[in-house]
Amino acid sequence: MTVEPIEPQAQAEAAGLFVMKCGGSTLAALPDSFFEDLRELQASGNQPVIVHGGGPAISGNLEKLGIESRFVNGLRVTTEEVLDVVEMTLSGSINKAIVRRIQASGGQALGLSGVDGNLIMAHPVANHDEVGLVGEVTGVRAEIVTGILTMGYIPVIAPVGVDGEGQRYNINADTAAGAVASYIGSPSMIVVTDVPGIMRTVDGEKVVLPSVTVVQIEALIENGEIYGGMIPKVRAAMDCIQGQVSEVIIVDGKEPRVLSRVLKGEALGTRIVRS
C-alpha cells in the first residue's frame, strides 16, 4: 500500500494554533505552573500541538538493555533492535508522562505517535546506509491533528514515522516538529528549552539576542559566540524552520507563564528567522 503525502494547508484553520517542541527531559523538569499556563491557554481557545523528543531517556534504556548507542553527525544509528527501544520510550513512557502532567493540571491531552493513522509519513534519509532506520518526513496527515484539536484535546506527538509498507523510522524530533507545524499551517513554533535563548557577549556581559537570522547564527558559531552545548540546541531549532514555518522562538520553560507571554507578543527568548 502506498500512501501519498498530503499537501500542507495554506493557513491555520483556527485562531491560537501553535506548535511547541520540547525534549522529554526538559518537559520532565518543568514546574507545574508551566502546565497550568498550558491548560489556561487551552481553556481560552488556543490550540497547542506538542511534538516531543526523548534522546537521553532512549540512551538510558538502551544502556540498561546492554545495547550500544552510536551516533553519526548527530543522528542515532538505528537498527530494528534500537528502534524497538526508541518506540517504547518515545511513544510509551515519555508520551504518556506528558499526557498525565497536562491532565493533572486540568487540561485535556491525547498522546499518539507518527505511526498512528499514518500521521507522519517518512522514507529513509539519504545516508541510511550509515544510520539505519532514520527517516525524513514526506508528509503529515494534518486532518488527524486538526481533528484531535476539534475534539478539545492537545495532541502530544512522538516522532516515530512510518512508510506505506508499514516500516517504522526514527525521526529527529526537531524536524518532525517543523514538518507538523508546516503541514497544519502554523507559521511559527515555540521551542521550550532550559536556556533563556541564544546568548552573546556584549561589553563583557552575556545578553540574550532577541532576534537572529540563520546566517547570523552560523557566523556566531564560527566566531565562538555560540559554543559547547548551545550549538546542538541552536542547530536543532534551525531544523524546525522548514516549509511554512518562518520563525522559531527559543524560550526557557521555567520562565513564569512563558507560553502565554510569548503568544501575546512579549519579547522573551530568541526569535530565529530565515532572513
Side-chain angles (χ1 to χ4, degrees), residues 42-196:
Q42 183 185 29
S44 63
N46 289 280
Q47 296 188 315
V49 177
I50 298 173
V51 180
H52 66 84
I58 292 169
S59 294
N61 284 336
L62 286 170
E63 183 178 359
K64 290 175 185 176
L65 294 168
I67 303 171
E68 181 185 9
S69 287
R70 293 193 298 120
F71 293 86
V72 174
N73 297 324
L75 295 177
R76 185 185 300 276
V77 177
T78 307
T79 62
E80 282 284 359
E81 183 181 39
V82 169
L83 190 50
D84 284 341
V85 179
V86 167
E87 187 169 43
M88 173 186 72
T89 307
L90 291 179
S91 307
S93 56
I94 291 179
N95 189 272
K96 301 318 168 193
I98 296 168
V99 170
R100 286 196 303 272
R101 289 204 71 184
I102 293 171
Q103 294 179 164
S105 74
Q108 295 293 324
L110 194 154
L112 68 165
S113 83
V115 172
D116 296 308
N118 294 316
L119 172 60
I120 299 177
M121 299 301 295
H123 64 200
V125 293
N127 63 330
H128 61 90
D129 56 326
E130 294 181 284
V131 297
L133 296 170
V134 176
E136 66 178 6
V137 179
T138 59
V140 175
R141 296 204 169 278
E143 71 273 17
I144 295 176
V145 179
T146 54
I148 293 169
L149 290 167
T150 300
M151 291 190 297
Y153 293 89
I154 298 172
V156 180
I157 302 169
V160 179
V162 67
D163 66 16
E165 305 303 319
Q167 174 61 56
R168 301 167 300 167
Y169 293 95
N170 184 9
I171 308 290
N172 175 276
D174 301 281
T175 53
V180 169
S182 188
Y183 273 78
I184 67 173
S186 177
S188 63
M189 194 168 69
I190 302 171
V191 176
V192 179
T193 68
D194 55 0
V195 296

Side-chain angles (χ1 to χ4, degrees), residues 33-46 105-107 257 260:
S33 58
F34 178 89
F35 292 93
E36 290 165 5
D37 186 29
L38 189 63
R39 184 255 306 161
E40 290 173 6
L41 285 169
Q42 183 185 29
S44 63
N46 289 280
S105 74
R257 298 183 59 81
S260 57

Side-chain angles (χ1 to χ4, degrees), residues 214-235:
V214 170
V215 173
Q216 289 170 332
I217 286 174
E218 293 294 354
L220 289 168
I221 292 173
E222 184 70 23
N223 67 23
E225 287 277 8
I226 297 176
Y227 62 91
M230 193 62 197
I231 293 176
K233 291 179 187 290
V234 171
R235 290 203 185 280

Side-chain angles (χ1 to χ4, degrees), residues 14 42 50 117 162 185 194 196 206 224 227 251 254-255 267 272 274:
Q42 183 185 29
I50 298 173
V162 67
D194 55 0
K206 288 286 187 181
Y227 62 91
V251 297
K254 294 185 176 65
E255 186 76 24
I272 303 175
R274 283 200 179 103

Side-chain angles (χ1 to χ4, degrees), residues 233-251:
K233 291 179 187 290
V234 171
R235 290 203 185 280
M238 290 194 295
D239 285 344
C240 298
I241 299 179
Q242 56 179 284
Q244 294 186 52
V245 183
S246 58
E247 70 169 7
V248 172
I249 309 163
I250 299 178
V251 297

